[in-house]
């Protein structure tokens, strides 16, 4: 039972354009939603989070939107840069656990 | 550099064998989490320790066990290894205990992982 789903295994975006990564969830009791970024041969690093009581959180080029009625989360990166090429994981907190999506590989094209 | 250290980085062993993965958390962090990432999968939570005590268990097999020592480093023991145990094993640390804590946004600090290959 996948409580957090990232349905796009990969996404290719032109440098300078907007990257939009999507995530769907099934559990309405999640407290926080997070995005992590992972480069090859490294562990995931925290990018940005949003509380379940908010609908938007912004940090520089990164904005996370939460649509609770649709149980949908998205990460916008504007403008996309070559260093943004990585695997992005969506995750959600529930009691003692952090529930992870399978990840989306973002490729930024020059 | 997250401050979390995992050893070994790579490990190749045979089926039926036993291995130990080691993790040193960030200075001051009391929680250690272990995750397994199989090919093209998300991170599967295995187990969490907080200040030496087991706090939560996820999808950890009975062949696997872990502990956290008084100096807060942790070890994950994998025994009777099978081909399907080949994966990346990540350790993460956090200063906090439960994600239910009101200020705990879920940020974990990950090590670089230990890649286990079972032949």
């Amino acid at each position: 039972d996948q409580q957090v789903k990232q349905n796009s295994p990969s996404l290719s975006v032109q440098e300078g354009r907007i990257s939009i990564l999507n995530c769907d969830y099934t559990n309405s009791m999640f407290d926080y939603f997070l995005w992590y970024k992972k480069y090859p041969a490294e562990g995931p690093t925290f990018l940005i989070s949003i509380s379940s009581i908010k609908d938007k959180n912004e940090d520089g080029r990164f904005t996370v939107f939460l649509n609770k009625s649709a149980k949908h989360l998205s990460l916008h990166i504007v403008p996309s840069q070559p260093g943004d090429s990585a695997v992005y994981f969506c995750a959600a907190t529930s009691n003692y656990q952090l529930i992870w999506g399978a990840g989306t590989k973002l490729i930024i094209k020059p | 550099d997250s401050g979390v250290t995992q050893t070994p980085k790579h490990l190749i062993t045979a089926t039926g064998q036993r291995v130990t993965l080691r993790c040193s958390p960030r200075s001051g962090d009391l929680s250690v989490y272990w995750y397994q990432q199989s090919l093209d999968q998300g991170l599967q939570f295995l187990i969490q320790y907080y200040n030496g005590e087991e706090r939560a268990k996820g999808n950890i097999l009975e062949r696997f066990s872990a502990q956290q020592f008084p100096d807060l480093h942790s070890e994950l023991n994998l025994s009777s290894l099978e081909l399907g145990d080949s994966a990346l094993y990540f350790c993460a640390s956090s200063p906090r205990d439960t994600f239910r804590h009101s200020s705990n946004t879920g940020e974990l600090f990950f090590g670089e992982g230990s890649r286990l290959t079972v032949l």
Side-chain angles (χ1 to χ4, degrees):
Chain A
D1 175 27
Q2 280 187 286
Q3 297 186 60
V4 177
K5 291 182 185 177
Q6 293 177 259
N7 293 315
S8 299
S10 66
L11 175 67
S12 186
V13 174
Q14 201 79 33
E15 181 180 353
R17 307 294 283 269
I18 183 171
S19 294
I20 300 176
L21 297 126
N22 295 303
C23 178
D24 297 302
Y25 62 94
T26 57
N27 186 345
S28 57
M29 299 301 289
F30 286 138
D31 295 309
Y32 278 91
F33 298 89
L34 304 92
W35 287 94
Y36 278 78
K37 177 179 179 180
K38 185 182 179 303
Y39 292 119
E42 294 184 13
T45 55
F46 172 78
L47 195 56
I48 191 170
S49 67
I50 186 168
S51 164
S52 58
I53 62 172
K54 301 273 178 76
D55 52 24
K56 179 182 175 181
N57 188 25
E58 199 169 347
D59 183 2
R61 296 186 299 114
F62 302 92
T63 303
V64 57
F65 294 92
L66 178 61
N67 182 333
K68 287 182 280 294
S69 60
K71 294 195 176 77
H72 180 80
L73 184 72
S74 63
L75 174 68
H76 293 211
I77 307 173
V78 185
S80 299
Q81 298 174 353
D84 296 330
S85 293
V87 176
Y88 289 79
F89 290 98
C90 167
T93 67
S94 174
N95 286 326
Y96 293 101
Q97 294 197 32
L98 192 55
I99 312 296
W100 296 76
T104 297
K105 184 175 183 178
L106 177 63
I107 301 163
I108 305 300
K109 300 180 294 186
Chain B
D1 182 7
S2 67
V4 177
T5 305
Q6 285 187 251
T7 56
K9 283 191 169 28
H10 300 276
L11 192 53
I12 301 174
T13 188
T15 55
Q17 296 298 304
R18 171 190 168 96
V19 298
T20 297
L21 309 180
R22 183 190 167 103
C23 170
S24 294
R26 283 191 328 159
S27 176
D29 284 355
L30 298 178
S31 270
V32 169
Y33 298 78
W34 285 98
Y35 286 89
Q36 179 193 55
Q37 185 186 22
S38 301
L39 191 64
D40 294 333
Q41 300 291 313
L43 278 75
Q44 297 297 317
F45 170 66
L46 296 177
I47 198 163
Q48 179 210 353
Y49 281 84
Y50 178 78
N51 203 20
E53 292 187 7
E54 181 183 305
R55 186 61 87 196
K57 255 183 176 177
N59 300 318
I60 188 166
L61 299 171
E62 285 190 11
R63 299 183 286 109
F64 296 178
S65 65
Q67 54 184 326
Q68 186 179 28
F69 294 87
D71 67 352
L72 300 177
H73 92 270
S74 178
E75 293 181 357
L76 179 67
N77 301 297
L78 314 174
S79 61
S80 302
L81 284 169
E82 302 175 359
L83 295 177
D85 297 329
S86 295
L88 260 174
Y89 291 85
F90 287 105
C91 165
S93 75
S94 163
R96 296 186 179 88
D97 178 7
T98 169
F99 289 119
R100 277 288 182 193
H101 190 284
S102 62
S103 63
N104 190 350
T105 61
E107 182 177 0
L108 301 181
F109 299 88
F110 281 81
E112 293 185 351
S114 293
R115 181 172 291 281
L116 173 65
T117 302
V118 181
L119 301 176

